[in-house]
Amino acid sequence: MRSAVRLAAGDGFRLDAVTCLDDHRGWSAAELGSGHRLVLVRRGLFRRKADGRAAVIEPAMAYLGVPGEEEHFAHPAGGDVCTSVSLTPELWRTLAGEGTPTRPTLYVDARLDLAHRRVVAAARGGDTAFELAESLLSLIGTTLAQLSPAPTPASSGSRATEASVPGTAGDPGSPALGPDSPAAPGPGPGGPMPGPRPGGTDTDAAGPGASSAGDARRDRGAGKAHAAEGRPSPAGRSRGGGVPRSGAAIADAAREAIAADHPAAGGLMSLAGLLAVSPYQLSRAFTRELGVSLTHYRNRVRVGRALDRLEGGEPSLAGLAADLGFADQAHLTRTIRRHVGHTPAALRRLLTPHAS
């Protein structure tokens, strides 16, 4: 069962909170997309298939719907709550031009998540003509910058509109835009991997989720050994020589396990065991498909959960750190600041419904 509540409507756009309580693994009947809309998940997880291409959609992955496409949905996790931003054809052309995004899904980093939350807060504030419109344009502009290979009217001017979103380039107190900021075009499923971060010191990019030359050498050696023994190489196959699995399928399964907080999702080795793939295969496939490492993605999910709690007025940062599995409050603060550009205390103020 699906229901929608209108949050706000303005000149050329509509903002709805959509709740789905379906609980089924099979695909729904076909639906035809009625317009351009950006859908971001607040809670839950579901699968979407559009024009034959399937994707897992959860708080760290959004999608863009376009008119006339055939959509199917499946809800294996029990339901979800989303924000749907619908645009008129005229506003869409103004923001995106005449081009069509090259892919329908995009990775939602923590800064884009914060921009989404600020849009919802602005809708509650009631200033539709200015505060909401300005926040919405920044959100759409940074989204289009990730989805389109060429500049669009909105994305090419997004650095100017970002001044309304704390923690982006327009905020004088924020760090410079990096590869995980919403205005920096980033790869999504099927896109190219980004280059290494300057200096190679980003702890989210390094570690178990990042590919390495050593991994490649070990995999080549393993492949030769299997060939010499007359057995197929494990690359691209599940453990035990099962049916080959695509990198996208492996990454989707890993995201579902992390989103569900499965006990095996607490470490790379246990997660690979759950998915019946090698740790090297999981690490490489995930980074190739998402453009970020497993380590970075897991921290992004934890930061999203922290934002939920801060938005609700969480009083104890030490308790929040313990609940989310951080070593201590300092570890929580460092991770949140790296992903969002603000401390937890500053975010609590920004996400307060009556914040100015």
Side-chain angles (χ1 to χ4, degrees), residues 218 220-234:
R218 280 189 289 270
R220 285 196 297 270
K224 291 178 181 178
H226 281 269
E229 297 171 13
R231 290 182 288 134
S233 169

Side-chain angles (χ1 to χ4, degrees), residues 12-314:
F13 66 86
R14 187 179 74 243
L15 198 68
D16 296 299
V18 181
T19 300
C20 187
L21 300 179
D22 290 343
D23 187 5
H24 59 84
R25 291 184 172 275
W27 294 110
S28 66
E31 303 176 25
L32 283 182
S34 58
H36 289 95
R37 66 202 183 284
L38 172 65
V39 178
L40 302 110
V41 181
R42 289 300 303 269
R43 292 189 301 277
L45 174 150
F46 61 94
R47 294 192 181 108
R48 174 181 183 259
K49 182 165 63 174
D51 293 337
R53 293 186 294 179
V56 173
I57 310 296
E58 35 83 28
M61 187 68 68
Y63 74 87
L64 180 71
V66 297
E69 68 181 342
E70 185 176 279
E71 299 176 291
H72 300 262
F73 298 92
H75 298 268
D80 53 83
V81 179
C82 302
T83 301
S84 175
V85 182
S86 301
L87 306 177
T88 63
E90 294 75 20
L91 182 57
W92 171 257
R93 283 194 296 271
T94 298
L95 298 176
E98 299 297 332
T100 301
T102 56
R103 63 180 188 275
T105 59
L106 72 151
Y107 171 64
V108 179
D109 65 18
R111 293 178 187 245
L112 192 54
D113 183 15
L114 177 59
H116 169 208
R117 293 168 190 267
R118 296 282 287 175
V119 165
V120 174
R124 296 193 188 108
D127 186 357
T128 302
F130 282 93
E131 183 184 9
L132 176 56
E134 191 172 36
S135 299
L136 189 62
L137 288 177
S138 179
L139 177 67
I140 297 297
T142 52
T143 297
L144 291 173
Q146 293 197 46
L147 288 174
S148 301
T152 62
S155 64
S156 61
S158 62
R159 290 182 184 269
T161 60
E162 281 163 4
S164 64
V165 182
T168 59
D171 179 14
S174 70
L177 279 170
D180 297 316
S181 60
M193 277 181 57
R197 289 173 173 79
T201 58
D202 186 337
T203 56
D204 284 341
S211 300
S212 68
D215 291 351
R217 287 194 297 271
R218 280 189 289 270
D219 282 340
R220 285 196 297 270
K224 291 178 181 178
H226 281 269
E229 297 171 13
R231 290 182 288 134
S233 169
R237 292 183 178 271
S238 61
R239 284 183 181 174
V243 177
R245 299 171 66 186
S246 69
I250 293 170
D252 280 353
R255 289 195 294 119
E256 288 191 75
I258 293 171
D261 207 17
H262 192 286
L268 172 62
M269 303 303 179
S270 57
L271 181 57
L274 175 69
L275 303 182
V277 297
S278 79
Y280 305 119
Q281 183 183 6
L282 170 59
S283 176
R284 288 196 315 275
F286 196 95
T287 305
R288 183 174 60 247
E289 294 297 325
L290 270 291
V292 296
S293 71
L294 258 171
T295 302
H296 185 96
Y297 179 84
R298 176 173 175 264
N299 280 335
R300 158 67 185 93
V301 171
R302 292 198 292 176
V303 167
R305 291 169 181 164
L307 290 176
D308 286 338
R309 296 271 291 271
L310 293 169
E311 198 169 22
E314 171 63 50

